[in-house]
Every structure is written in C-alpha cells, then in structure tokens.
Amino acid sequence: MKQSIFLLEEQKDMVIIAMNYNRSTLQGMNKKLFDIAFNKVNQNLNPVELDGIEMILVSQALHKYGKFLSHSKQIKESVQYRIYGDIFEEIRKNFQRLNGPKFKESKTA
C-alpha cells in the first residue's frame, strides 16, 4: 500500500536537497533502499507514491538537513526543514494508522 503525497515545487526542492545531503552519508543496503525513495521523489510525477518506510526516510532526511542548517547558523531555514519533516512524519503516522495491521484487544480476567 502506498500513500499519494502532492508536493508543491518548493516542497519538492526541499525534499530533494535534504535527501541529496543525507544520501552522501549512507552506504550499502541503506543507500540502496534510500535511493528507491529518492528516485520516486526525484521523478516529475505528482503526487508522489511512497510507502511507510520511504516516508520515514524522507522525514529523517529533512530533520537531518535541518540539524545541519542549525549548526551552520541558518536557523530560519533549519526550522522550515524540521517543520516539513514533522509534517511528513504526521502523514506517515496517519497512513500507518489507516493501513497498518489491526489488533483486537482481548479481555483479560
């Protein structure tokens, strides 16, 4: 199951910048999984179709780049990236809540 996420041009640019930054820090299988999500975002398709893991990777990239900007004293930009990372995380949580496994609570004595 995938979530359709419409990205405005500015938002897409932010995601690509953050993912490019984060991509350079990855190796091996982590990089291969990351590249799948990166390629989906980098295409000219809108909305972007992402699964839960891919949304986590995007959210982590946005937060990591926001932290980098904070250390570089670019506070305003840092806050923008972190907020957008939080938004992506909320989208993922809602997606998981709606599409994840359903558990029945059993009554215990």
Side-chain angles (χ1 to χ4, degrees):
M1 187 124 251
K2 307 263 183 196
Q3 174 70 41
S4 295
I5 302 172
F6 184 83
L7 300 173
L8 298 173
E9 201 61 40
E10 181 180 332
Q11 295 167 330
K12 188 173 185 173
D13 291 344
M14 287 174 66
V15 171
I16 290 171
I17 289 167
M19 291 184 84
N20 261 328
Y21 172 78
N22 195 36
R23 187 175 183 270
S24 65
T25 67
L26 301 173
Q27 299 178 18
M29 187 54 77
N30 290 335
K31 190 170 189 172
K32 288 181 182 182
L33 290 172
F34 189 86
D35 282 345
I36 293 169
F38 181 70
N39 289 334
K40 287 182 181 182
V41 172
N42 213 12
Q43 292 176 349
N44 287 327
L45 301 177
N46 222 350
V48 177
E49 300 277 330
L50 300 173
D51 64 21
I53 297 293
E54 293 164 343
M55 285 185 270
I56 289 172
L57 295 172
V58 171
S59 176
Q60 287 176 342
L62 288 162
H63 281 108
K64 190 172 185 177
Y65 190 67
K67 187 174 182 178
F68 164 76
L69 290 172
S70 178
H71 290 297
S72 300
K73 307 295 187 226
Q74 298 176 48
I75 304 304
K76 183 179 175 187
E77 293 83 0
S78 170
V79 170
Q80 290 175 329
Y81 277 87
R82 289 178 185 220
I83 288 172
Y84 198 45
D86 290 343
I87 291 170
F88 246 92
E89 188 61 19
E90 284 303 313
I91 293 169
R92 183 196 65 81
K93 286 179 184 177
N94 288 332
F95 171 78
Q96 293 292 116
R97 195 175 301 115
L98 294 172
N99 300 299
K102 309 291 185 246
F103 297 100
K104 292 183 181 179
E105 293 184 29
S106 60
K107 295 182 180 181
T108 57

